[in-house]
Amino acid sequence: MVEPSMAERSVIKHRDYFTNGRIITSSAINITETEVLTADGQQIPYDFLVIATGHPYPVPKSRTERLDQCRAENQKIMSARSILIVGGGPTGVELAGEIAADFPDKGVTLVHNGSRLLEFIGPKASQKALRWLISKKVEVILEQRVNLNSVSDESKTYQTSSGEIIKADCHFLCTGIALGSAWLKETVLRNNLDTRGRLMVDGNLRVKGRKNMFAIGDITDIPEIKQGYLAQKHALVAAKNLKLLMTGRKESKMETYEPSSAKLAIVSLGRRDAVAQLPYMTIAGFIPGLIKSRDLFVGRTRKQMGLEPHVTGD
């Protein structure tokens, strides 16, 4: 959104890396004991099933449409003199940081309903991120919500839960998104969801009570921070166990996933800086920025997918 050229590298066609298989771009709407039903009417039989629906992000299906969306968001930033960001999690903090770093003359306000930023990690990291944002003249308002229904297009004003009025040319909603599990409540897995809508899994990442169904990523009830690199670890364990089962080997040989107890996180702050929570310390500034902020792990992710790290071809 802030740097459209980054989208050219980070928006990847599934066909570029998923070369041996069938891709169906339609929502799953039901699961039976033998099939997955999709919104466009297809019935897909399965022997083994992996559910990884995480969070439902409303993004276009095609790469071209996605890039057009990024350019439109960038134009919104470019044409605005003042910007409101709603949400103080990693997405809101990173967006505020990049806008403040690239466009220091724009007024940026961040409103968060929690008592501190980045509540998924420790208070030291939260405080360091807050100090960095304030040093870049970002106005941070905590313990308040924004009533987006109160927006006045003419005066471009927003009202918070305490009655405070914020003027901004545009806003970006960076609050948490619900789990992508609502559709499972009407399927054979309705009794496998916990009270928070997460799929309950065993140590092998199989849905509890199911021999041929796995779940990975944020949708699981694994007691750990929900982060991308942990979802990748889930995928590796599930893949190994699938191979084992498909080749008829003993279930006792299946690999067990060990939940991560460490709250490791790196949140980028602009182009050069970041705040990192490590096992025995929390640091901010240029050093953690070297790890993430320059490339946001895009190059590494492309290499993991077997793609050239800097190719931008369509």
Side-chain angles (χ1 to χ4, degrees), residues 21-39:
R22 180 183 175 200
I23 298 171
I24 298 171
T25 52
S26 180
S27 298
I29 59 172
N30 195 13
I31 294 173
T32 71
E33 300 288 353
T34 57
E35 294 179 323
V36 173
L37 283 67
T38 64

Side-chain angles (χ1 to χ4, degrees), residues 55-67:
H55 299 269
Y57 291 101
V59 296
K61 288 184 178 180
S62 76
R63 182 175 188 271
T64 299
E65 290 174 336
R66 178 63 172 142
L67 293 178

Side-chain angles (χ1 to χ4, degrees), residues 264-277:
L264 300 174
I266 303 178
V267 177
S268 66
L269 299 171
R271 301 295 180 190
R272 295 169 54 86
D273 299 327
V275 58
Q277 179 171 287

Side-chain angles (χ1 to χ4, degrees), residues 10-13 15 30 42-43 48 54 92 97 118 123 139 163 172-173 184 190 205 217 222-223 235 256 296 303 305:
S10 61
V11 180
I12 301 169
K13 288 183 178 180
R15 182 55 68 193
N30 195 13
Q42 297 186 64
Q43 295 176 298
F48 293 93
L118 306 176
E139 182 182 3
F172 293 98
L173 185 62
L184 292 169
R190 56 186 172 275
L205 298 184
I222 297 172
T256 300
L296 301 177
K303 288 173 70 175
M305 292 177 162

Side-chain angles (χ1 to χ4, degrees), residues 28 50 62 67 129 174 176 179 199 250 313-314:
V50 181
S62 76
L67 293 178
C174 301
L179 282 174
L199 274 173
K250 294 181 179 179
D314 193 13

Side-chain angles (χ1 to χ4, degrees), residues 3-302:
E3 183 185 358
S5 62
M6 179 66 76
E8 294 283 344
R9 295 174 56 222
S10 61
V11 180
I12 301 169
K13 288 183 178 180
H14 294 305
R15 182 55 68 193
D16 289 346
Y17 66 90
F18 187 68
T19 56
N20 182 22
R22 180 183 175 200
I23 298 171
I24 298 171
T25 52
S26 180
S27 298
I29 59 172
N30 195 13
I31 294 173
T32 71
E33 300 288 353
T34 57
E35 294 179 323
V36 173
L37 283 67
T38 64
D40 60 3
Q42 297 186 64
Q43 295 176 298
I44 305 159
Y46 67 85
D47 295 310
F48 293 93
L49 178 66
V50 181
I51 301 170
T53 48
H55 299 269
Y57 291 101
V59 296
K61 288 184 178 180
S62 76
R63 182 175 188 271
T64 299
E65 290 174 336
R66 178 63 172 142
L67 293 178
D68 287 344
Q69 184 185 58
C70 291
R71 294 186 189 103
E73 300 285 19
N74 175 258
Q75 187 55 47
K76 191 161 76 167
I77 293 172
M78 295 286 288
S79 60
R81 290 182 298 176
S82 54
I83 299 166
L84 170 64
I85 296 172
V86 182
T91 303
V93 169
E94 290 191 341
L95 178 59
E98 289 210 12
I99 294 174
D102 282 18
F103 306 104
D105 293 334
K106 295 184 185 294
V108 180
T109 302
L110 187 154
V111 178
H112 181 54
N113 66 356
S115 60
R116 62 182 178 89
L117 301 175
L118 306 176
E119 291 167 293
F120 75 109
I121 51 178
K124 285 186 178 180
S126 299
Q127 193 61 34
K128 289 179 183 293
L130 176 62
R131 285 200 296 264
W132 189 93
L133 290 173
I134 292 174
S135 74
K136 300 299 179 182
K137 299 181 181 179
V138 175
E139 182 182 3
V140 179
I141 301 173
L142 299 174
E143 300 185 87
Q144 292 191 47
R145 290 179 169 83
V146 175
N147 180 8
L148 294 178
N149 295 323
S150 70
V151 180
S152 169
D153 292 331
E154 294 180 0
S155 60
K156 296 180 179 178
T157 59
Y158 301 78
Q159 186 172 353
T160 72
S161 52
S162 69
E164 184 175 345
I165 300 298
I166 299 171
K167 290 190 175 183
D169 295 324
C170 66
H171 78 275
F172 293 98
L173 185 62
C174 301
T175 54
I177 299 174
L179 282 174
S181 62
W183 66 288
L184 292 169
K185 294 178 181 178
E186 304 299 325
T187 73
V188 296
L189 295 181
R190 56 186 172 275
N191 295 324
N192 297 96
L193 297 169
D194 68 9
T195 56
R196 297 172 64 181
R198 304 172 302 183
L199 274 173
M200 296 179 284
V201 296
D202 62 20
N204 306 124
L205 298 184
R206 287 193 293 191
V207 177
K208 285 184 176 179
R210 301 282 176 170
K211 293 289 187 179
N212 64 338
M213 295 184 186
F214 290 79
I216 61 175
D218 287 3
I219 199 162
T220 67
D221 69 337
I222 297 172
E224 61 186 5
I225 294 179
K226 304 302 183 182
Q227 292 180 293
Y229 84 95
L230 293 176
Q232 290 176 336
K233 289 186 175 182
H234 296 182
L236 292 174
V237 171
K240 288 180 180 179
N241 290 338
L242 277 167
K243 289 179 182 179
L244 182 144
L245 293 174
M246 291 169 70
T247 53
R249 296 167 63 193
K250 294 181 179 179
E251 289 189 18
S252 59
K253 300 292 185 181
M254 292 175 68
E255 185 167 333
T256 300
Y257 178 76
E258 296 294 336
S260 173
S261 59
K263 291 188 176 182
L264 300 174
I266 303 178
V267 177
S268 66
L269 299 171
R271 301 295 180 190
R272 295 169 54 86
D273 299 327
V275 58
Q277 179 171 287
L278 305 174
Y280 301 107
M281 68 177 71
T282 299
I283 57 176
F286 177 67
I287 293 177
L290 287 174
I291 300 173
K292 181 180 182 182
S293 298
R294 286 187 174 184
D295 191 51
L296 301 177
F297 299 144
V298 173
R300 188 182 73 174
T301 302
R302 289 182 63 90

